[in-house]
Amino acid sequence: MGGGRKKAEETIDYSAGLRFYKKVGDLVNEGEPVGEIIYNEGNSKIFTSKFLKAFRISEKKVPKPSLIKEKI
């Protein structure tokens, strides 16, 4: 996406990244964006495909996951 670096000496470009508009369990209406990809270089179709594969949209209500997985 153009934000990372290949060598430790290179600077990180913080202008590239992902912005999520929805969280697990949120209602998503048809045609409504779930997020945004901000990139400086690369193929937008590849980024979009990978981004959308990270989501699973269901017609059933999905419970929000607990932020605390385990108390030790």
Side-chain angles (χ1 to χ4, degrees):
M1 292 173 36
R5 57 187 178 186
K6 294 178 182 164
K7 299 177 188 169
E9 309 83 54
E10 295 178 348
T11 59
I12 296 174
D13 181 355
Y14 294 101
S15 68
L18 303 171
R19 180 175 293 139
F20 295 93
Y21 300 143
K22 298 291 183 178
K23 295 178 184 173
V24 174
D26 285 352
L27 176 67
V28 178
N29 295 306
E30 187 174 342
E32 185 177 16
V34 294
E36 180 179 6
I37 304 166
I38 303 122
Y39 65 98
N40 296 317
E41 58 186 58
N43 186 325
S44 64
K45 288 183 182 181
I46 292 171
F47 297 146
T48 301
S49 173
K50 288 182 178 188
F51 185 79
L52 292 175
K53 284 181 183 177
F55 292 90
R56 185 174 59 210
I57 297 176
S58 170
E59 291 186 10
K60 298 178 183 177
K61 183 159 178 66
V62 178
K64 293 186 179 198
S66 172
L67 294 177
I68 299 171
K69 298 292 181 192
E70 180 181 3
K71 291 181 183 180
I72 54 172

